[in-house]
Amino acid sequence: MRRVNIADVARRAGVSRKSVSRVINREEYVSDALRKKVEKAIQQLNYAPDRQARSLRSGKSFHIAFLYETPSSYFVISLVDGIRAGCRERGYELVLHETTAKGSRLVLSVLEFAERERIDGLLMMPPLTDDEQLLAALDDAGVLYGRIAPGTLRRDGLDVRTTDHAAAVAMTEHLLSLGHRRIAFISGDPGHLAMTRRLDGVRDALAAGPPCELIVQQGYSTFESGLRAAKELLARDPRPTAVFAANDDMAAGVIYEAQELGLRIPDDLSVAGFDDTLLASRIWPGLTTVRQPTREMGEAAAQLLIDRVMGREAETGEPLPTELVVRRSTGRAPG
């Protein structure tokens, strides 16, 4: 059976082949009427662009990569879902690349990967987003990249972030409203600089509220580190009445350890997280958390990067909003 080509689409839509090409390549200044006609013809004919031919014509591979190093599979899954959606919207394919390398080994492996796969651009998430050695090497090599949830912004960078500080303030105010005056915060991976804004938000909310004790415990964004932090926090006398973890994985570890000790949640201990991954609504009791628009972050990052690759205007926008999600893991302070 003959493969449907761009000329077939042009005939079906009643337009020129150049017009079809402009729609496929998402060029600017294409009218809505033209776009709809071409997209309708594409759907009717089940047309798929020949990526190899496009690559030869444009000198681009029409692939971008997502570089990640994270213990939270739930967070990664949601991001990848959004990145794929952004790629589909612009006719791109996504390549996934997980790394555990550090320092110069990380830089070398990423540069080798980018050359081997002939990617047009690279997306990354914390803690890679703030690795200055890696960023400098990518700049020197001329590799275009975008960053999801970076700790600091870079001039002319393509950065997608959320309102971490405001979200942490809102969660802390929620715990204070329930009467909690001894609150613990479990911080995340030290390399994830955006998480420092969450601790700043907790501190600012407490400074503006009633007298309250804050206990900060180091975590590393994993379920296991949440368990370890909970063992230390819950062995204190007096122990905290509420624990706010910098992500849902660590919060789940706190809930597990608390229940192992026979504590009732939220009667004896309130627990809160951050991200609102699938885990948050699948554990018992359901986790009070901050909903990050993770999928939207991934989609926006992909669109920004691909637009920059294609020479279109692409600039970092305002932080995407977060939302406080109250479930059964938080309640009135005991006593």
Side-chain angles (χ1 to χ4, degrees):
M1 183 177 179
R2 186 177 69 85
R3 180 186 176 93
V4 176
N5 59 38
I6 197 169
D8 298 321
V9 176
R11 281 193 294 271
R12 175 63 66 92
V15 300
S16 68
R17 284 186 293 180
K18 183 170 181 58
S19 293
V20 175
S21 178
R22 291 177 63 204
V23 172
I24 291 172
N25 291 316
R26 303 287 173 182
E27 293 184 12
E28 295 181 304
Y29 311 117
V30 173
S31 69
D32 288 340
L34 173 60
R35 190 180 305 280
K36 288 177 181 177
K37 286 170 65 175
V38 172
E39 289 178 346
K40 182 179 180 181
I42 288 173
Q43 185 176 17
Q44 290 174 339
L45 295 173
N46 196 27
Y47 170 70
D50 186 332
R51 294 186 186 278
Q52 186 174 8
R54 289 177 71 199
S55 179
L56 288 172
R57 287 193 301 269
S58 66
K60 295 181 173 59
S61 68
F62 294 94
H63 288 75
I64 64 169
F66 177 47
L67 180 67
Y68 64 98
E69 174 210 338
T70 178
S72 176
S73 58
Y74 290 97
F75 187 78
V76 171
I77 288 170
S78 183
L79 272 181
V80 168
D81 189 36
I83 295 170
R84 283 197 172 119
C87 287
R88 284 194 300 269
E89 174 69 20
R90 282 160 168 73
Y92 260 70
E93 292 291 337
L94 176 64
V95 180
L96 300 179
H97 186 65
E98 182 179 11
T99 180
T100 56
K102 302 290 184 184
S104 58
R105 288 181 56 204
L106 169 65
V107 170
L108 182 61
S109 68
V110 172
L111 292 179
E112 287 179 345
F113 164 76
E115 183 176 1
R116 182 177 67 249
E117 298 296 329
R118 291 188 60 246
I119 58 170
D120 291 337
L122 179 71
L123 291 176
M124 63 188 94
M125 62 174 292
L128 301 166
T129 50
D130 296 293
D131 188 315
E132 291 299 331
Q133 185 179 358
L134 174 60
L135 298 181
L138 292 173
D139 288 336
D140 290 343
V143 178
L144 290 175
Y145 59 86
R147 302 184 303 160
I148 299 171
T152 57
L153 299 182
R154 291 166 65 89
R155 185 179 180 184
D156 297 327
L158 300 175
D159 299 326
V160 175
R161 62 205 192 284
T162 57
T163 53
D164 292 272
H165 181 276
V169 168
M171 180 62 78
T172 307
E173 290 175 344
H174 168 67
L175 296 175
L176 290 173
S177 73
L178 294 172
H180 295 282
R181 299 294 182 265
R182 194 179 308 111
I183 298 173
F185 180 79
I186 304 178
S187 57
D189 187 324
H192 187 159
L193 299 186
M195 283 194 178
T196 63
R197 291 198 290 269
R198 300 173 193 177
L199 178 55
D200 291 341
V202 172
R203 286 178 167 144
D204 288 348
L206 293 181
C212 182
E213 179 185 1
L214 173 63
I215 308 158
V216 179
Q217 188 75 31
Q218 181 65 58
Y220 293 89
S221 303
T222 63
F223 175 86
E224 291 75 17
S225 71
L227 278 176
R228 292 192 297 270
K231 287 180 185 296
E232 295 194 31
L233 290 170
L234 301 180
R236 297 173 68 99
D237 186 19
R239 64 171 176 258
T241 63
V243 177
F244 177 15
N247 76 351
D248 292 343
D249 292 69
M250 293 190 295
V254 174
I255 289 177
Y256 185 95
E257 178 62 21
Q259 292 177 336
E260 280 283 290
L261 295 173
L263 298 177
R264 298 167 301 163
I265 296 174
D267 297 341
D268 300 320
L269 179 72
S270 286
V271 182
F274 203 109
D275 288 335
D276 197 29
T277 59
L278 286 173
L279 178 64
S281 58
R282 292 184 176 181
I283 59 175
W284 180 259
L287 181 65
T288 292
T289 187
V290 171
R291 177 174 295 154
Q292 275 201 106
T294 313
R295 187 184 187 281
E296 291 81 355
M297 291 168 69
E299 185 170 2
Q303 291 173 347
L304 277 173
L305 178 60
I306 294 170
D307 284 347
R308 178 68 64 85
V309 168
M310 301 302 290
R312 306 185 190 116
E313 184 177 345
E315 295 182 1
T316 296
E318 293 299 313
L320 298 178
T322 52
E323 177 187 355
L324 179 64
V325 180
V326 178
R327 297 191 178 99
R328 296 191 178 188
S329 68
T330 53
R332 299 293 306 178

